[in-house]
Amino acid sequence: MSVKPEVTQIGEKLRLLQVRTENTKTTCISVLLLMPLLENTAENAVLASFLTHASAKYPTLSKLNERLEELYGAILSADVSKLGEGYRLRFSITCIRDDLALSGEQLSVEALRLLLELLFSPHAENGLFDRAQLETEVRLCAEDLESELNDKRAYALSRCLEIMCADEPFGISKAELLEAVRAVTPQSMFKAWQQLLREATVSVQVIGNVDFAPLENMLHKALELQNGDRAPAEIHTVFVEAAEDVTEVTEEMDVNQSKLVLGFRTGMRDRDDGYFAMRLMTDLFGGGPYSRLFMHVREKLSLCYYCSARLDRNKGIVMVQSGIERKNKDAALNEIKKQLKVMQNGEFTDEEFAASKAALCDAFRGLGDTPEGLDVYFAQSLDGAVCTPEDMVQGLSAVTREDVVRAAKSLTLDTVYLLAGKEEAENA
Protein backbone atom coordinates (compact mmCIF):
# COMPACT_ATOMS: atom_id res chain seq x y z
CA MET A 1 0.00 0.00 0.00
CA SER A 2 1.08 3.59 -0.58
CA VAL A 3 2.25 5.37 2.56
CA LYS A 4 3.27 8.71 1.09
CA PRO A 5 2.90 11.26 3.89
CA GLU A 6 1.52 14.74 3.61
CA VAL A 7 3.90 17.12 5.37
CA THR A 8 2.77 20.53 6.63
CA GLN A 9 5.35 22.97 7.95
CA ILE A 10 3.66 24.79 10.84
CA GLY A 11 6.68 26.78 12.01
CA GLU A 12 10.45 26.74 12.16
CA LYS A 13 11.55 23.13 12.73
CA LEU A 14 7.93 22.33 13.58
CA ARG A 15 5.98 20.08 11.23
CA LEU A 16 2.93 17.86 10.92
CA LEU A 17 3.21 14.55 9.11
CA GLN A 18 -0.03 12.81 8.08
CA VAL A 19 -0.26 9.32 6.59
CA ARG A 20 -3.55 7.72 5.58
CA THR A 21 -3.45 3.94 5.90
CA GLU A 22 -6.28 1.76 4.63
CA ASN A 23 -7.70 -1.35 6.30
CA THR A 24 -6.22 -0.69 9.73
CA LYS A 25 -8.15 -0.71 12.98
CA THR A 26 -6.01 1.74 14.94
CA THR A 27 -4.76 5.31 14.76
CA CYS A 28 -1.30 6.20 16.04
CA ILE A 29 -0.44 9.78 17.02
CA SER A 30 3.05 10.79 18.13
CA VAL A 31 4.80 13.97 19.16
CA LEU A 32 8.56 13.78 18.65
CA LEU A 33 11.01 16.32 20.03
CA LEU A 34 14.71 16.46 19.21
CA MET A 35 17.25 18.34 21.34
CA PRO A 36 21.06 18.57 21.32
CA LEU A 37 22.33 15.52 23.20
CA LEU A 38 24.11 17.36 26.00
CA GLU A 39 21.28 19.84 26.72
CA ASN A 40 19.52 18.68 29.91
CA THR A 41 20.17 15.03 29.02
CA ALA A 42 19.26 13.71 32.47
CA GLU A 43 16.15 15.87 32.81
CA ASN A 44 14.94 14.88 29.35
CA ALA A 45 15.45 11.20 30.19
CA VAL A 46 13.15 11.62 33.19
CA LEU A 47 10.68 13.88 31.35
CA ALA A 48 9.76 11.19 28.85
CA SER A 49 8.21 9.08 31.59
CA PHE A 50 7.11 11.94 33.85
CA LEU A 51 4.93 13.64 31.23
CA THR A 52 3.01 10.46 30.37
CA HIS A 53 2.04 9.65 33.96
CA ALA A 54 0.15 12.81 34.97
CA SER A 55 -1.03 16.25 33.88
CA ALA A 56 -2.73 19.26 35.42
CA LYS A 57 -6.11 17.79 34.44
CA TYR A 58 -5.18 14.21 35.39
CA PRO A 59 -2.82 14.66 38.36
CA THR A 60 -2.61 10.96 39.28
CA LEU A 61 -1.87 7.85 37.29
CA SER A 62 -5.22 6.34 38.28
CA LYS A 63 -7.13 9.34 36.89
CA LEU A 64 -5.09 9.23 33.71
CA ASN A 65 -5.78 5.51 33.31
CA GLU A 66 -9.50 6.18 33.77
CA ARG A 67 -9.35 8.61 30.87
CA LEU A 68 -7.50 6.07 28.72
CA GLU A 69 -10.21 3.51 29.48
CA GLU A 70 -12.85 6.02 28.39
CA LEU A 71 -10.98 6.18 25.09
CA TYR A 72 -11.63 2.45 24.61
CA GLY A 73 -8.36 1.40 26.17
CA ALA A 74 -6.07 3.80 24.32
CA ILE A 75 -2.39 3.04 24.88
CA LEU A 76 0.03 5.78 25.94
CA SER A 77 3.79 5.36 25.63
CA ALA A 78 7.04 7.33 25.72
CA ASP A 79 10.70 6.65 25.04
CA VAL A 80 14.01 8.38 24.52
CA SER A 81 16.87 7.58 22.16
CA LYS A 82 19.99 9.06 20.64
CA LEU A 83 19.85 10.19 17.01
CA GLY A 84 23.41 11.13 16.25
CA GLU A 85 24.29 14.03 18.54
CA GLY A 86 20.58 14.59 19.16
CA TYR A 87 18.36 13.26 21.95
CA ARG A 88 14.87 12.30 20.80
CA LEU A 89 11.81 12.17 23.07
CA ARG A 90 8.79 10.38 21.63
CA PHE A 91 5.28 10.59 23.11
CA SER A 92 2.66 8.36 21.46
CA ILE A 93 -0.96 7.36 21.86
CA THR A 94 -2.71 4.57 19.96
CA CYS A 95 -6.49 4.30 19.82
CA ILE A 96 -9.05 2.40 17.79
CA ARG A 97 -10.28 3.91 14.53
CA ASP A 98 -12.96 6.60 14.85
CA ASP A 99 -15.70 4.70 13.00
CA LEU A 100 -15.35 1.75 15.39
CA ALA A 101 -16.45 3.83 18.40
CA LEU A 102 -19.86 2.75 19.69
CA SER A 103 -21.33 6.24 19.90
CA GLY A 104 -19.54 7.88 16.99
CA GLU A 105 -16.94 9.64 19.14
CA GLN A 106 -13.99 11.27 17.38
CA LEU A 107 -11.47 9.17 19.29
CA SER A 108 -8.52 10.49 17.31
CA VAL A 109 -9.39 14.07 18.32
CA GLU A 110 -9.76 13.14 21.98
CA ALA A 111 -6.54 11.10 21.91
CA LEU A 112 -4.61 14.02 20.43
CA ARG A 113 -6.18 16.38 22.96
CA LEU A 114 -4.95 14.17 25.79
CA LEU A 115 -1.45 13.93 24.34
CA LEU A 116 -1.21 17.73 24.02
CA GLU A 117 -2.51 18.22 27.58
CA LEU A 118 0.20 15.92 28.91
CA LEU A 119 2.92 17.71 26.98
CA PHE A 120 1.85 21.35 27.38
CA SER A 121 -0.04 21.27 30.71
CA PRO A 122 1.93 18.96 33.03
CA HIS A 123 1.38 18.38 36.74
CA ALA A 124 3.20 21.46 38.06
CA GLU A 125 2.60 24.42 40.34
CA ASN A 126 4.48 27.70 40.84
CA GLY A 127 7.21 26.72 38.40
CA LEU A 128 7.90 23.35 40.02
CA PHE A 129 6.96 19.80 39.12
CA ASP A 130 5.32 17.69 41.80
CA ARG A 131 8.17 16.52 44.06
CA ALA A 132 6.64 13.18 45.06
CA GLN A 133 5.95 12.19 41.48
CA LEU A 134 9.38 13.39 40.39
CA GLU A 135 11.14 11.31 43.05
CA THR A 136 9.33 8.23 41.77
CA GLU A 137 10.22 8.96 38.15
CA VAL A 138 13.88 9.66 39.00
CA ARG A 139 14.10 6.36 40.89
CA LEU A 140 12.54 4.43 38.01
CA CYS A 141 14.81 6.10 35.44
CA ALA A 142 17.89 5.33 37.56
CA GLU A 143 16.78 1.71 37.94
CA ASP A 144 16.43 1.40 34.17
CA LEU A 145 19.98 2.67 33.68
CA GLU A 146 21.34 0.38 36.39
CA SER A 147 19.54 -2.64 34.93
CA GLU A 148 21.75 -2.47 31.86
CA LEU A 149 24.46 -4.14 33.94
CA ASN A 150 22.27 -7.22 33.88
CA ASP A 151 22.15 -7.16 30.07
CA LYS A 152 25.79 -7.74 29.31
CA ARG A 153 25.29 -7.58 25.55
CA ALA A 154 23.80 -4.08 25.77
CA TYR A 155 26.40 -3.05 28.35
CA ALA A 156 29.31 -4.14 26.14
CA LEU A 157 27.88 -2.24 23.17
CA SER A 158 27.46 0.90 25.29
CA ARG A 159 31.01 0.68 26.63
CA CYS A 160 32.46 0.25 23.13
CA LEU A 161 30.53 3.32 21.92
CA GLU A 162 31.66 5.34 24.95
CA ILE A 163 35.30 4.49 24.22
CA MET A 164 34.98 4.95 20.47
CA CYS A 165 33.23 8.34 20.74
CA ALA A 166 34.89 9.57 23.94
CA ASP A 167 35.64 13.00 22.46
CA GLU A 168 32.16 13.41 20.95
CA PRO A 169 28.80 14.17 22.63
CA PHE A 170 27.58 10.78 21.35
CA GLY A 171 30.00 9.11 23.75
CA ILE A 172 28.23 10.25 26.93
CA SER A 173 28.53 7.36 29.36
CA LYS A 174 25.74 5.59 31.20
CA ALA A 175 27.61 6.23 34.45
CA GLU A 176 27.64 10.00 33.79
CA LEU A 177 23.97 9.95 32.86
CA LEU A 178 23.04 7.92 35.94
CA GLU A 179 24.83 10.39 38.23
CA ALA A 180 23.09 13.31 36.53
CA VAL A 181 19.66 11.65 36.74
CA ARG A 182 20.03 11.23 40.51
CA ALA A 183 20.76 14.95 40.79
CA VAL A 184 17.58 16.08 38.97
CA THR A 185 15.42 18.53 40.98
CA PRO A 186 11.90 19.93 40.52
CA GLN A 187 13.48 23.25 39.51
CA SER A 188 15.87 21.75 36.94
CA MET A 189 13.09 19.60 35.48
CA PHE A 190 10.72 22.53 35.03
CA LYS A 191 13.41 24.63 33.33
CA ALA A 192 14.31 21.69 31.08
CA TRP A 193 10.64 21.25 30.10
CA GLN A 194 10.36 24.93 29.19
CA GLN A 195 13.57 24.75 27.18
CA LEU A 196 12.36 21.58 25.44
CA LEU A 197 9.21 23.30 24.16
CA ARG A 198 11.17 26.39 23.15
CA GLU A 199 14.19 24.82 21.44
CA ALA A 200 13.28 21.33 20.23
CA THR A 201 12.79 20.30 16.62
CA VAL A 202 9.19 19.02 16.68
CA SER A 203 7.42 16.54 14.44
CA VAL A 204 3.81 15.49 15.01
CA GLN A 205 2.80 12.26 13.25
CA VAL A 206 -0.78 11.14 12.66
CA ILE A 207 -1.02 7.72 11.03
CA GLY A 208 -4.34 5.98 10.38
CA ASN A 209 -7.57 6.02 8.41
CA VAL A 210 -9.18 9.13 9.97
CA ASP A 211 -10.42 12.59 9.08
CA PHE A 212 -7.26 14.67 9.39
CA ALA A 213 -8.93 18.10 9.18
CA PRO A 214 -10.00 18.47 12.86
CA LEU A 215 -6.68 17.07 14.01
CA GLU A 216 -4.76 19.55 11.88
CA ASN A 217 -6.85 22.45 13.19
CA MET A 218 -6.21 21.42 16.79
CA LEU A 219 -2.49 21.07 16.17
CA HIS A 220 -2.24 24.42 14.41
CA LYS A 221 -3.82 26.15 17.40
CA ALA A 222 -1.70 24.32 19.97
CA LEU A 223 1.60 24.57 18.12
CA GLU A 224 1.17 28.12 16.85
CA LEU A 225 0.86 29.27 20.45
CA GLN A 226 4.22 27.68 21.14
CA ASN A 227 5.79 28.87 17.90
CA GLY A 228 5.91 32.53 18.89
CA ASP A 229 8.44 31.95 21.66
CA ARG A 230 10.43 29.26 19.89
CA ALA A 231 14.14 29.45 19.08
CA PRO A 232 14.97 25.95 17.79
CA ALA A 233 18.46 24.70 18.58
CA GLU A 234 20.76 23.49 15.82
CA ILE A 235 22.09 19.94 16.13
CA HIS A 236 25.48 19.19 14.61
CA THR A 237 26.38 15.52 14.53
CA VAL A 238 30.07 14.62 14.34
CA PHE A 239 30.76 12.25 11.42
CA VAL A 240 34.30 10.87 11.53
CA GLU A 241 35.12 9.62 8.04
CA ALA A 242 37.98 7.27 8.97
CA ALA A 243 39.68 5.88 12.06
CA GLU A 244 43.26 7.03 12.55
CA ASP A 245 44.24 3.97 14.59
CA VAL A 246 42.67 1.07 16.49
CA THR A 247 41.91 1.33 20.22
CA GLU A 248 41.76 -2.00 22.07
CA VAL A 249 40.24 -2.25 25.54
CA THR A 250 39.58 -5.32 27.70
CA GLU A 251 37.48 -5.15 30.87
CA GLU A 252 36.66 -8.02 33.19
CA MET A 253 33.34 -8.83 34.84
CA ASP A 254 31.63 -11.88 36.31
CA VAL A 255 29.98 -13.06 33.08
CA ASN A 256 29.48 -16.56 31.73
CA GLN A 257 30.03 -15.44 28.15
CA SER A 258 32.54 -12.86 26.97
CA LYS A 259 31.36 -10.09 24.63
CA LEU A 260 33.48 -8.87 21.73
CA VAL A 261 32.37 -5.58 20.13
CA LEU A 262 34.02 -3.87 17.16
CA GLY A 263 33.33 -0.28 16.12
CA PHE A 264 33.92 0.81 12.51
CA ARG A 265 33.85 4.26 10.93
CA THR A 266 32.00 4.11 7.61
CA GLY A 267 33.27 7.12 5.71
CA MET A 268 29.77 8.62 5.72
CA ARG A 269 29.75 12.42 5.93
CA ASP A 270 26.07 12.66 6.84
CA ARG A 271 23.13 10.30 7.38
CA ASP A 272 22.31 10.18 3.63
CA ASP A 273 25.84 9.75 2.27
CA GLY A 274 25.80 6.44 0.38
CA TYR A 275 23.18 5.13 2.79
CA PHE A 276 21.46 2.51 0.64
CA ALA A 277 24.72 0.79 -0.32
CA MET A 278 25.98 0.96 3.27
CA ARG A 279 22.72 -0.49 4.62
CA LEU A 280 22.80 -3.40 2.20
CA MET A 281 26.51 -4.00 2.78
CA THR A 282 25.99 -4.10 6.57
CA ASP A 283 23.13 -6.58 6.22
CA LEU A 284 25.09 -8.83 3.87
CA PHE A 285 28.09 -8.61 6.20
CA GLY A 286 26.25 -9.35 9.46
CA GLY A 287 22.47 -9.15 9.15
CA GLY A 288 20.34 -12.26 8.71
CA PRO A 289 21.18 -15.99 8.56
CA TYR A 290 22.46 -15.47 5.00
CA SER A 291 25.18 -13.05 6.19
CA ARG A 292 28.93 -13.70 6.12
CA LEU A 293 29.36 -13.32 9.88
CA PHE A 294 26.52 -15.72 10.69
CA MET A 295 27.47 -18.35 8.14
CA HIS A 296 31.23 -18.35 8.75
CA VAL A 297 32.10 -17.01 12.21
CA ARG A 298 29.16 -18.69 13.93
CA GLU A 299 28.02 -21.67 11.83
CA LYS A 300 31.11 -22.86 9.97
CA LEU A 301 33.83 -22.18 12.55
CA SER A 302 31.73 -22.12 15.77
CA LEU A 303 33.80 -19.24 17.14
CA CYS A 304 30.87 -17.47 18.75
CA TYR A 305 27.34 -17.87 20.06
CA TYR A 306 26.12 -14.96 17.94
CA CYS A 307 27.75 -12.47 15.59
CA SER A 308 25.95 -9.58 13.93
CA ALA A 309 26.54 -6.14 12.45
CA ARG A 310 24.31 -3.06 12.48
CA LEU A 311 24.57 0.40 10.94
CA ASP A 312 23.81 3.54 12.91
CA ARG A 313 22.81 5.81 10.04
CA ASN A 314 22.50 8.91 12.21
CA LYS A 315 26.12 8.60 13.39
CA GLY A 316 27.79 6.92 10.43
CA ILE A 317 29.20 3.92 12.31
CA VAL A 318 28.90 0.14 12.03
CA MET A 319 29.02 -2.00 15.17
CA VAL A 320 29.78 -5.73 15.19
CA GLN A 321 28.69 -7.66 18.28
CA SER A 322 29.54 -11.24 19.20
CA GLY A 323 29.31 -13.54 22.19
CA ILE A 324 32.41 -15.70 22.54
CA GLU A 325 34.55 -17.76 24.85
CA ARG A 326 37.48 -15.63 25.96
CA LYS A 327 40.03 -18.07 24.53
CA ASN A 328 38.49 -17.54 21.06
CA LYS A 329 38.90 -13.77 21.09
CA ASP A 330 41.80 -13.55 18.62
CA ALA A 331 40.40 -16.21 16.30
CA ALA A 332 36.96 -14.54 16.24
CA LEU A 333 38.49 -11.09 15.67
CA ASN A 334 40.63 -12.36 12.81
CA GLU A 335 37.69 -14.13 11.16
CA ILE A 336 35.49 -11.01 11.40
CA LYS A 337 38.26 -9.04 9.71
CA LYS A 338 38.60 -11.78 7.09
CA GLN A 339 34.90 -11.64 6.27
CA LEU A 340 35.09 -7.87 5.90
CA LYS A 341 37.96 -8.41 3.45
CA VAL A 342 35.69 -10.82 1.53
CA MET A 343 33.14 -8.02 1.28
CA GLN A 344 35.80 -5.54 0.16
CA ASN A 345 37.04 -7.94 -2.52
CA GLY A 346 33.52 -8.63 -3.79
CA GLU A 347 33.87 -12.36 -3.10
CA PHE A 348 30.34 -12.80 -1.76
CA THR A 349 27.99 -14.83 -3.95
CA ASP A 350 25.13 -13.61 -6.09
CA GLU A 351 22.79 -15.74 -3.98
CA GLU A 352 23.94 -14.02 -0.75
CA PHE A 353 23.56 -10.61 -2.37
CA ALA A 354 20.04 -11.41 -3.63
CA ALA A 355 18.96 -12.89 -0.27
CA SER A 356 20.07 -9.77 1.61
CA LYS A 357 18.36 -7.40 -0.81
CA ALA A 358 15.12 -9.42 -0.76
CA ALA A 359 15.05 -9.62 3.06
CA LEU A 360 15.58 -5.87 3.52
CA CYS A 361 13.02 -4.91 0.87
CA ASP A 362 10.43 -7.29 2.35
CA ALA A 363 10.99 -5.81 5.80
CA PHE A 364 10.33 -2.27 4.54
CA ARG A 365 7.28 -3.35 2.53
CA GLY A 366 5.84 -4.81 5.74
CA LEU A 367 6.06 -1.52 7.63
CA GLY A 368 2.84 -0.30 6.04
CA ASP A 369 0.82 -3.14 7.57
CA THR A 370 0.23 -1.23 10.83
CA PRO A 371 0.18 2.44 11.87
CA GLU A 372 2.59 1.58 14.68
CA GLY A 373 5.15 0.20 12.22
CA LEU A 374 5.05 3.35 10.13
CA ASP A 375 5.19 5.53 13.24
CA VAL A 376 8.39 3.89 14.43
CA TYR A 377 9.91 4.18 10.96
CA PHE A 378 9.12 7.87 10.42
CA ALA A 379 10.33 8.62 13.95
CA GLN A 380 13.90 7.95 12.78
CA SER A 381 14.10 11.34 11.07
CA LEU A 382 12.59 14.52 12.48
CA ASP A 383 13.91 17.06 9.99
CA GLY A 384 14.64 17.32 6.30
CA ALA A 385 13.10 15.26 3.50
CA VAL A 386 10.76 12.40 4.40
CA CYS A 387 11.82 9.02 3.01
CA THR A 388 8.98 6.49 2.82
CA PRO A 389 9.34 2.69 3.06
CA GLU A 390 8.59 2.63 -0.68
CA ASP A 391 11.52 5.01 -1.25
CA MET A 392 13.68 2.62 0.79
CA VAL A 393 12.68 -0.35 -1.36
CA GLN A 394 13.41 1.61 -4.51
CA GLY A 395 16.79 2.78 -3.19
CA LEU A 396 17.85 -0.66 -2.00
CA SER A 397 16.71 -2.31 -5.24
CA ALA A 398 19.01 -0.03 -7.21
CA VAL A 399 22.15 -1.00 -5.23
CA THR A 400 24.68 -3.00 -7.25
CA ARG A 401 27.43 -5.39 -6.21
CA GLU A 402 29.95 -2.67 -7.04
CA ASP A 403 28.15 -0.26 -4.70
CA VAL A 404 28.39 -2.80 -1.87
CA VAL A 405 32.10 -3.32 -2.49
CA ARG A 406 32.74 0.44 -2.39
CA ALA A 407 30.80 0.71 0.85
CA ALA A 408 32.78 -2.15 2.41
CA LYS A 409 36.08 -0.59 1.37
CA SER A 410 35.16 2.61 3.20
CA LEU A 411 35.00 0.83 6.59
CA THR A 412 37.93 1.40 8.97
CA LEU A 413 38.25 -0.32 12.34
CA ASP A 414 38.24 2.17 15.20
CA THR A 415 37.70 0.25 18.45
CA VAL A 416 37.91 -3.33 19.71
CA TYR A 417 36.25 -3.89 23.07
CA LEU A 418 36.19 -7.15 25.03
CA LEU A 419 34.04 -7.68 28.10
CA ALA A 420 35.80 -10.74 29.45
CA GLY A 421 34.64 -13.22 32.05
CA LYS A 422 36.88 -13.51 35.12
CA GLU A 423 36.09 -17.20 35.53
CA GLU A 424 37.04 -17.81 31.91
CA ALA A 425 40.42 -16.20 32.59
CA GLU A 426 41.00 -18.43 35.63
CA ASN A 427 40.16 -21.56 33.62
CA ALA A 428 42.17 -20.59 30.55
Side-chain angles (χ1 to χ4, degrees), residues 50-82:
F50 186 97
L51 293 178
T52 51
H53 285 167
S55 70
K57 189 173 182 179
Y58 305 102
T60 65
L61 187 58
S62 62
K63 290 186 179 299
L64 178 58
N65 285 333
E66 287 177 8
R67 180 54 182 156
L68 292 171
E69 287 302 315
E70 291 171 356
L71 297 176
Y72 295 80
I75 299 173
L76 195 62
S77 64
D79 59 67
V80 294
S81 61
K82 289 192 292 187

Side-chain angles (χ1 to χ4, degrees), residues 262 264 285 292-293 296-297 300-301 303 330-348:
L262 280 63
F264 293 87
F285 180 41
R292 302 295 305 186
L293 295 183
H296 292 267
V297 186
K300 184 178 179 179
L301 299 177
L303 290 173
D330 290 338
L333 176 59
N334 290 335
E335 187 61 26
I336 292 170
K337 291 178 179 178
K338 178 181 176 181
Q339 293 308 316
L340 177 58
K341 183 62 67 174
V342 167
M343 298 293 300
Q344 293 170 337
N345 292 337
E347 295 169 352
F348 50 88

